[in-house]
């Protein structure tokens, strides 16, 4: 009751008797003390509102709702216990803490927010003090679970979007934190601030992931569920991976027959679709293009097209792929002369392939020589490598040089090699003449080296010929060749410092004959000889011209025996008038010609001595046989070969005709002209003969003519035979003749002996046969002592040569030359190479090949 009153007093009498807390200094002037304090509570929780530290004697709690002026009592205690007002129910479960003036409010409602005033009265009995405690109660609401909103959960990269963090409850100020969680779970703060909405400009692919927001105030913090943001983008420019990887300045490369995989990757959301193009034509769909056993024709441009089907965007990348392939076969090596055949150039080449093979000469060669990039000959220097070896580096014959060729498409290098060597033999020179005798060819060859040797000719005057490889033929117009100096062939090989030479000395032919003058008796065969002085091989043909100046051939008159060295002309059955004269033997070659004259003197045999018919007589009455006897004027035997016994009919004996032997012969004799009938006796020693089978009725004349071969002597005076004597004569005469025949036989035997032994008994021979006609009947050749009258003495000495041997004819054109003194080897002639179309005729030339 008292408290209630006090409360009323409070309301109406602000100056009260209440004393306040110990902190309060009660002023002596009775002034009321005012105290302010703020208290924060959370809705639904409990809060204690203090009213001083000591228990006052009386107190009144009142409440003023925010926004209103009215102050309303909640609870009081005027010394008679606490009295809780009805209003307190709206302010939560309000209780007064015992033994204090503080009140506790549980299950705090938001409506409890406002100003609580505790009017406390102390020392009411003595000196009352009044303290006003103003307690400002703030009731805070915790944030509720926010939820996230996005303007677009699948934004396109580069676009702008917003995110909002929505809350139902929560007192401010509220802080917002946006969290981003990547695909991998890495969580980071994306943004924070005091606004619930953020704008994301220029969304990118890194924004893809989970988002959540966290809202916080002074009471608590709550986070939302996460939300997936999927950024749409791409495709980016594709990336192409080539396996196996091999990059060159031109692009990618692959080796032929390898398997090549081209993988295309382009970042994109959603994932890219891939299409492959080869040289702008579509070949494949899908990210990886695999070419098994790639070939060189697969070289070209490969393009990958990536497409984002959602955005309908695309991007493209092109690479160039080159397929490497090796050249065919193996490298080839060769050796060539260089710098005028003083050096070697080694060539190594391996054309084809891509890229070009790389070629290397062996290391020691590179040290010796000087590498050349021979770009003149080949547009691509890599297919060719040359090395120049100078002369001083080359001494050894038969050296081997090798070159290695390598190519990226080959596992192993391939080598080639070449050798350099000097021709095995010495240079060979020879000469020949073309068939039509238009040209003289001097040939020089030095075959068989590697590289080939350089061969050139130097001759007298300006005659010469520049270098050619292996062999060289100097062609001279026939007749322009010179004989005074040798023609020298030079041959140079890079492996030899010295030049080799061989020489040809041209020499005009010289003809010889055994005799310049040949005399024979007519009727015999005679051989004229002609031969070349030196044993020239091959020789030009020797030609014989007869005494009429005509070319001779084998006829009944002439027989020509010919070899390369000589030509013998046999004149058959010589005749004094027809065959005597100058015979000419000629030959010639490119340097000159010559001829030799042989005088043939055909002599008649000497006149036989006169013979006289000393006896001509019928040996019987039948008159059919006549015995003849004759004698020779000079009884020296020999010199003639026989006798010609002749008879001729002179007249018919009258009356004797009937008994005459009526033979045919006689009838012919009678009607024929009075010609001589011949009877040849081929025995110079016979001096008598019986002519048989005469016609008895006819008168004959007989005569004898000595014969010396073809020379017929003077006939004797003709004789008519005498009549036979008595019948007994024949026996006597027969006996006498028999004795004479025996004597004649002895004489004949003696003569035969003397002739056969004339050398042993020259005096006897000379005595019997004289000095003039000493040759045998059968000797057709040279009468030993015969000298052709009228010839200027000493026919055997011609052209100043006084030789006891065969006669020599000098060449017409040029004087003979001997072989060069430098000639080391004897003359050697050689025929033209076989198979030559223009088969040369022989020419007489001495060839001296000299090596050095
Ligand atoms: C917000 O507060 C009101 C009143 O206090 C309550 O009914 C509601 O459930 C609260 N909302 C949330 C999400 O807590
Ligand atoms: C997560 O993000 C932080 C900073 O953004 C970085 O340092 C860290 O390496 C990331 N961790 C992973 C696993 O990605
Ligand atoms: C949010 O914060 C900014 C500064 O960070 C301040 O200027 C602004 O007044 C705040 N807004 C609210 C509603 O608290
Ligand atoms: C976000 O953008 C909208 C309009 O685009 C604008 O009205 C708003 O103020 C922006 N908010 C922030 C936090 O920038
Ligand atoms: C995305 O993140 C990566 C590394 O975290 C960065 O290198 C790249 O630049 C970012 N991209 C963009 C578009 O910001
Ligand atoms: C493809 O292009 C390359 C380079 O332009 C060319 O060398 C190649 O021959 C082409 N291939 C075909 C099949 O056209
Ligand atoms: C080559 O060598 C020959 C002989 O030694 C010489 O005559 C000629 O002049 C040379 N040529 C050059 C170009 O040196
Ligand atoms: C050089 O070598 C070749 C080939 O082996 C051989 O035929 C020739 O006789 C040799 N020459 C010399 C001068 O050794
Ligand atoms: C031809 O004459 C030569 C002498 O000039 C001689 O050697 C050769 O034997 C002769 N030939 C014949 C077949 O008589
Ligand atoms: C050889 O004889 C011919 C005539 O037959 C003559 O013309 C020529 O001069 C003679 N030759 C010599 C060298 O005597
Ligand atoms: C030989 O006979 C001829 C004619 O009958 C005569 O002329 C000549 O003088 C005679 N010779 C000799 C040596 O008596
Ligand atoms: C004629 O001659 C022949 C022989 O010659 C002889 O036999 C013959 O008896 C002769 N007749 C007469 C009549 O003499």
């Amino acid at each position: 009751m008292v408290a209630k009153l006090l409360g009323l007093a409070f309301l109406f009498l602000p100056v009260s008797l209440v004393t306040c807390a110990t902190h309060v200094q009660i002023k002596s002037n009775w002034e009321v003390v005012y105290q302010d304090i703020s208290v924060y509570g959370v809705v639904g929780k409990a809060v204690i509102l203090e009213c001083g530290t000591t228990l006052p004697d009386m107190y009144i709690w009142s409440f003023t709702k925010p926004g209103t002026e009215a102050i309303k009592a909640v609870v009081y205690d005027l010394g008679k216990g606490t009295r809780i007002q009805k209003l307190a129910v709206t302010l939560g479960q309000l209780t007064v803490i015992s033994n204090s003036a503080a009140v506790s409010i549980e299950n705090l409602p938001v409506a409890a927010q406002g100003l609580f005033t505790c009017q406390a009265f102390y020392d009411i009995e003595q000196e009352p003090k009044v303290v006003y405690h103003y307690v400002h109660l703030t009731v805070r609401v915790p944030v509720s679970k926010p939820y996230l909103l996005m303007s677009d959960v699948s934004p396109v990269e580069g676009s702008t979007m917003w995110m909002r963090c929505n809350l139902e409850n929560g007192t401010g100020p509220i802080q917002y934190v946006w969290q981003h969680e990547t695909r991998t779970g890495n969580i980071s703060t994306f943004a924070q601030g005091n606004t619930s909405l953020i704008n994301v400009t220029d969304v990118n692919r890194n924004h893809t992931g989970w988002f959540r927001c966290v809202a916080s105030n002074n009471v608590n913090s709550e986070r939302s569920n996460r939300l997936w943001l999927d950024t749409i983008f791409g495709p980016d420019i594709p990336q192409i991976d080539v396996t196996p990887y091999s990059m060159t300045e031109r692009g990618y490369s692959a080796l032929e027959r390898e398997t090549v995989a081209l993988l295309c990757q382009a970042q994109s959301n959603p994932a890219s679709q891939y299409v492959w193009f080869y040289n702008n034509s579509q070949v494949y769909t899908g990210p990886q293009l695999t070419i098994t056993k790639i070939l060189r024709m697969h070289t070209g441009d490969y393009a990958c097209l990536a497409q984002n089907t959602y955005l309908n965007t695309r991007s493209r990348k092109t690479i160039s792929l080159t397929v490497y392939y090796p050249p065919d076969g193996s490298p080839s090596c060769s050796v060539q002369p260089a710098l005028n055949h003083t050096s070697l150039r080694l060539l190594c080449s391996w054309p084809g392939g891509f890229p070009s093979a790389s070629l290397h000469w062996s290391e020691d060669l590179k040290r010796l020589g000087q590498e050349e990039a021979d770009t003149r000959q080949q547009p691509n220097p890599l297919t060719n490598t040359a090395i120049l070896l100078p002369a001083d580096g080359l001494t050894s014959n038969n050296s081997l040089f090798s070159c290695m060729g390598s190519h990226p498409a080959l596992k192993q290098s391939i080598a080639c090699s070449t050798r350099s060597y000097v021709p095995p033999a010495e240079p060979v020179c020879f000469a020949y003449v073309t068939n039509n005798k238009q040209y003289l060819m001097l040939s020089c060859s030095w075959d068989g080296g590697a590289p080939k040797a350089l061969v050139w000719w130097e001759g007298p005057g300006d005659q010469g010929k520049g270098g050619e490889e292996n062999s060289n033929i100097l062609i001279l117009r026939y007749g322009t060749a010179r004989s005074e100096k040798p023609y020298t062939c030079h041959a140079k090989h890079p492996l030899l410092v010295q030049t080799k030479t061989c020489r040809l000395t041209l020499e005009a032919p010289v003809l010889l004959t055994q005799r310049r003058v040949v005399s024979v008796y007519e009727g015999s065969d005679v051989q004229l000889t002609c031969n070349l002085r030196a044993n020239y091989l091959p020789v030009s043909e020797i030609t014989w011209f007869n005494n009429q100046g005509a070319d001779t051939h084998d006829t009944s008159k002439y027989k020509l025996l010919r070899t390369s060295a000589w030509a013998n002309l046999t004149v058959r059955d010589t005749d004094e008038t027809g065959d005597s004269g100058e015979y000419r033997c000629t030959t010639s070659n490119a340097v000159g010609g010559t001829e030799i004259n042989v005088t043939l003197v055909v002599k008649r045999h000497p006149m036989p001595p006169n013979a006289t018919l000393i006896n001509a007589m019928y040996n019987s009455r039948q008159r059919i046989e006549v015995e003849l006897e004759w004698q020779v004027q000079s009884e020296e035997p020999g010199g003639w070969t026989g006798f010609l016994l002749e008879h001729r009919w002179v007249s018919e004996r009258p009356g004797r005709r009937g008994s005459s032997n009526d033979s045919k012969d006689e009838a012919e004799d009678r009607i024929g002209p009075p010609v001589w009938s011949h009877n040849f006796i081929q025995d110079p020693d016979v001096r008598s003969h019986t002519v048989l089978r005469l016609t008895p009725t006819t008168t004959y004349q007989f005569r004898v003519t000595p014969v010396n071969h073809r020379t017929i002597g003077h006939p004797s005076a003709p004789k008519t035979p005498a009549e036979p004597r008595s019948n007994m004569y024949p026996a006597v005469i027969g006996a006498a003749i028999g004795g004479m025949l025996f004597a004649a036989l002895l004489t004949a035997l003696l003569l035969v002996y003397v002739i056969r032994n004339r050398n042993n008994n020259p005096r006897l021979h000379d005595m019997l046969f004289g000095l003039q006609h000493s040759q045998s009947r059968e000797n057709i050749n040279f009468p030993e002592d015969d000298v052709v009258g009228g010839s200027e003495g000493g026919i055997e000495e011609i052209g100043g040569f006084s030789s006891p041997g065969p006669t020599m004819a000098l060449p017409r054109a040029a004087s003979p030359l001997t072989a060069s003194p430098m000639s080391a080897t004897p003359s050697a002639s050689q025929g033209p190479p076989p198979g030559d179309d223009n088969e040369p005729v022989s020419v007489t030339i001495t060839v001296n090949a000299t090596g050095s």
Side-chain angles (χ1 to χ4, degrees):
M1 195 61 166
V2 174
K4 202 170 179 178
L5 287 175
L6 275 175
L8 291 172
F10 245 23
L11 293 171
F12 300 109
L13 297 168
V15 180
S16 71
L17 302 173
V18 176
T19 60
C20 233
T22 51
H23 311 304
V24 180
Q25 294 297 318
I26 309 253
K27 293 180 180 169
S28 56
N29 56 357
W30 305 90
E31 284 290 323
V32 174
V33 177
Y34 301 95
Q35 297 222 318
D36 269 275
I37 183 169
S38 290
V39 173
Y40 298 91
V42 175
V43 69
K45 307 291 183 191
V47 73
I48 290 174
L49 307 179
E50 296 285 349
C51 183
T53 50
T54 56
L55 180 68
D57 295 331
M58 290 185 293
Y59 64 88
I60 301 166
W61 279 101
S62 21
F63 174 69
T64 306
K65 205 176 167 182
T68 62
E69 297 275 310
I71 179 166
K72 293 185 177 166
V74 177
V75 64
Y76 63 88
D77 184 353
L78 299 178
K80 297 283 197 284
T82 56
R83 302 290 186 263
I84 296 176
Q85 305 300 300
K86 287 180 184 163
L87 175 64
V89 177
T90 63
L91 300 175
Q93 296 169 18
L94 191 148
T95 53
V96 176
I97 296 170
S98 61
N99 219 15
S100 84
V103 293
S104 157
I105 305 173
E106 287 179 21
N107 203 8
L108 193 64
V110 175
Q113 179 163 307
L115 175 64
F116 284 84
T117 307
C118 175
Q119 297 166 309
F121 305 91
Y122 301 92
D123 294 332
I124 293 173
E125 311 295 332
Q126 290 102 31
E127 187 83 18
K129 294 170 194 163
V130 179
V131 179
Y132 276 34
H133 296 276
Y134 293 117
V135 179
H136 300 273
L137 176 65
T138 305
V139 178
R140 289 172 170 164
V141 178
V143 289
S144 57
K145 183 181 173 77
Y147 58 96
L148 188 61
L149 271 183
M150 287 184 188
S151 62
D152 187 354
V153 292
S154 299
V156 175
E157 194 170 47
S159 65
T160 297
M161 63 167 289
W162 53 257
M163 284 188 274
R164 186 191 299 278
C165 192
N166 279 335
L167 270 182
E168 270 188 39
N169 295 330
T171 38
I174 299 172
Q175 286 292 319
Y176 297 93
V177 174
W178 273 265
Q179 286 179 336
H180 179 232
E181 181 180 346
T182 62
R183 222 182 284 262
T184 57
N186 199 358
I187 299 175
S188 59
T189 299
F190 179 70
Q192 59 187 8
N194 55 10
T195 58
S196 62
L197 182 137
I198 57 168
N199 288 341
V200 182
T201 58
D202 198 11
V203 175
N204 70 45
R205 64 195 65 179
N206 287 355
H207 294 141
T208 300
W210 297 108
F211 278 89
R212 73 169 92 234
C213 70
V214 180
S216 315
N217 63 4
N218 290 336
V219 181
N220 70 342
S221 176
E222 284 287 338
R223 53 182 215 161
S224 69
N225 291 331
R226 55 185 196 170
L227 197 60
W228 181 257
L229 177 79
D230 193 23
T231 308
I232 305 296
F233 64 92
D236 288 353
I237 300 298
Q239 180 186 337
I240 298 178
D241 290 323
V242 182
T243 33
Y245 175 80
S246 173
M247 196 73 188
T248 65
E249 68 272 10
R250 306 163 146 266
Y252 291 90
S253 66
L255 305 183
E256 200 169 39
R257 299 183 181 284
E258 254 180 353
T259 295
V260 175
L262 307 175
L263 176 64
C264 184
Q265 285 174 298
Q267 294 295 318
S268 176
N269 187 24
S272 302
Q273 304 278 304
Y274 297 99
V275 179
W276 280 97
F277 294 86
Y278 168 64
N279 278 10
N280 292 325
S281 24
Q282 183 175 335
V283 289
Y284 183 70
T285 305
Q288 176 163 315
L289 170 62
T290 303
I291 308 167
T292 50
K293 280 207 170 183
I294 195 165
L295 297 176
R296 62 192 70 175
M297 61 187 234
H298 293 139
T299 291
D301 293 336
Y302 288 83
C304 166
L305 178 74
Q307 301 182 80
N308 185 324
T309 47
Y310 180 83
L311 290 175
N312 200 22
T313 51
R314 60 199 65 205
S315 65
R316 180 185 185 109
K317 175 147 187 204
T318 303
I319 60 158
S320 121
L321 179 66
T322 307
V323 180
Y324 285 178
Y325 55 95
D328 292 335
S330 53
S332 65
C333 291
S334 63
V335 56
Q336 285 184 354
L339 302 181
N340 205 7
H341 277 72
T342 59
S343 305
L344 289 182
R345 177 176 288 118
L346 305 175
L347 287 179
C348 183
S349 107
W350 200 11
F354 190 86
S356 299
S358 56
L359 301 167
H360 300 286
W361 286 100
S362 55
E363 286 303 319
D364 45 339
L365 272 181
K366 282 194 213 161
R367 248 182 294 112
L368 267 178
Q370 161 195 350
E371 251 180 302
E372 293 180 325
D374 198 358
T375 45
R376 278 174 297 119
Q377 293 178 350
Q378 293 281 331
N380 190 347
L382 284 174
T383 62
N384 223 315
T385 181
I387 200 164
L388 188 70
L389 289 185
D392 50 4
L394 322 162
T395 41
S396 57
N397 185 24
N398 207 0
S399 329
L400 184 72
F401 308 108
S402 55
C403 169
M404 294 291 289
S406 54
H407 191 274
L410 290 178
K411 288 188 186 107
Q412 287 180 331
S413 301
I414 302 182
C416 67
S417 61
T418 183
R419 281 180 187 279
S420 168
Y421 48 88
V422 180
E426 295 292 316
V428 172
C429 290
F430 60 90
Y432 54 94
V433 174
T434 57
N435 256 341
N436 50 13
K437 278 204 176 179
Q438 270 191 306
Y439 298 105
L440 169 68
M441 316 247 240
L442 306 185
S443 165
C444 179
S445 63
W446 199 26
D447 286 333
K452 293 168 179 170
L454 185 71
V455 177
W456 70 96
W457 277 105
E458 283 172 13
D462 281 339
Q463 290 177 336
K465 189 156 177 236
E468 287 175 4
E469 284 187 336
N470 261 356
S471 65
N472 196 334
I473 297 178
L474 173 63
I475 301 176
L476 300 171
R477 198 160 261 288
Y478 197 83
T480 62
R482 314 268 285 268
S483 61
E484 68 266 30
K485 277 188 183 162
Y487 287 81
T488 307
C489 165
H490 299 265
K492 174 87 178 84
H493 194 275
L495 290 184
L496 293 182
V497 179
Q498 295 288 318
T499 299
K500 296 243 182 203
T501 56
C502 72
R503 292 190 172 81
L504 287 182
T505 304
L506 307 184
E507 223 180 320
V510 177
L511 285 174
L512 305 176
T513 185
Q514 281 180 340
R515 285 170 190 263
R516 292 296 300 266
V517 177
V518 178
S519 28
V520 294
Y521 288 109
E522 64 178 348
S524 53
D525 294 353
V526 64
Q527 177 171 270
L528 309 179
T529 68
C530 182
N531 64 296
L532 288 163
R533 184 180 62 178
N535 190 20
Y536 304 115
L537 276 174
V539 306
S540 75
E541 193 169 81
I542 302 171
T543 311
W544 272 107
F545 294 95
N546 67 7
N547 56 348
Q548 309 299 317
D551 204 349
T552 57
H553 302 284
D554 267 352
T555 56
S556 56
K557 190 66 184 169
Y558 300 113
K559 182 173 154 216
L560 198 54
L561 284 177
R562 205 151 40 180
T563 67
S564 54
W566 49 259
N568 298 349
L569 177 69
T570 302
V571 183
R572 289 188 174 116
D573 191 19
T574 48
D575 178 70
E576 185 202 11
T577 51
D579 296 329
S580 293
E582 291 272 299
Y583 286 73
R584 201 149 48 91
C585 164
T586 71
T587 189
S588 68
N589 68 10
V591 189
T594 186
E595 65 179 30
I596 190 167
N597 279 1
V598 176
T599 308
L600 177 62
V601 180
V602 181
K603 297 196 298 187
R604 294 185 68 86
H605 290 270
M607 214 54 171
N610 285 357
T612 316
L613 202 55
I614 53 171
N615 189 20
M617 186 190 288
Y618 288 107
N619 62 358
S620 72
R621 293 236 161 228
Q622 273 81 28
R623 292 169 57 96
I624 53 169
E625 293 178 357
V626 169
E627 288 173 358
L628 297 173
E629 202 178 329
W630 63 91
Q631 65 183 188
V632 179
Q633 210 165 44
S634 161
E635 270 305 335
E636 292 159 9
W640 60 93
T641 53
F643 300 96
L644 189 61
L645 293 183
E646 292 167 300
H647 61 277
R648 68 175 174 188
W649 172 81
V650 181
S651 62
E652 196 75 23
R653 278 184 73 188
R656 300 296 294 265
R657 187 169 161 86
S659 64
S660 76
N661 200 326
D662 200 15
S663 75
K664 261 188 182 174
D665 288 344
E666 187 192 350
E668 282 167 2
D669 279 350
R670 257 182 296 167
I671 53 171
V675 292
W676 291 102
S677 303
H678 309 292
N679 227 340
F680 191 68
I681 297 170
Q682 283 190 318
D683 186 352
D685 300 327
V686 170
R687 291 295 181 270
S688 62
H689 185 74
T690 303
V691 179
L692 305 175
R693 285 156 61 193
L694 295 169
T695 308
T697 57
T698 305
T699 304
Y700 292 99
Q701 276 188 332
F702 289 86
R703 66 176 186 183
V704 62
T705 309
V707 172
N708 190 7
H709 295 277
R710 296 186 184 185
T711 306
I712 314 280
H714 298 291
S716 64
K719 246 185 178 344
T720 301
E723 293 301 319
R725 300 179 200 144
S726 63
N727 283 340
M728 59 179 213
Y729 278 149
V732 177
I733 292 168
I737 289 173
M740 284 170 65
L741 282 175
F742 179 72
L745 181 65
L746 282 181
T747 310
L749 285 173
L750 176 65
L751 288 174
V752 167
Y753 171 81
V754 169
I755 289 167
R756 290 203 178 147
N757 295 280
R758 63 184 166 194
N759 292 333
N760 299 342
N761 298 295
R763 289 202 60 221
L764 182 59
H765 171 266
D766 288 352
M767 194 179 74
L768 288 175
F769 300 107
L771 296 168
Q772 291 288 318
H773 315 293
S774 56
Q775 80 279 2
S776 149
R777 274 192 301 183
E778 307 305 326
N779 185 352
I780 59 168
N781 261 320
F782 324 105
E784 282 164 352
D785 306 313
D786 190 82
V787 169
V788 170
S791 66
E792 317 84 83
I795 346 163
E796 305 295 330
E797 298 180 15
I798 292 173
F801 282 79
S802 176
S803 72
T807 306
M808 171 188 290
L810 297 178
R812 276 190 304 247
S815 57
L817 277 184
T818 52
S820 157
M822 299 177 68
S823 306
T825 49
S827 303
S829 299
Q830 190 169 323
D836 195 336
D837 285 336
N838 188 12
E839 192 174 321
V841 299
S842 48
V843 62
T844 312
I845 285 167
T846 34
V847 174
N848 298 304
T850 312
S852 57

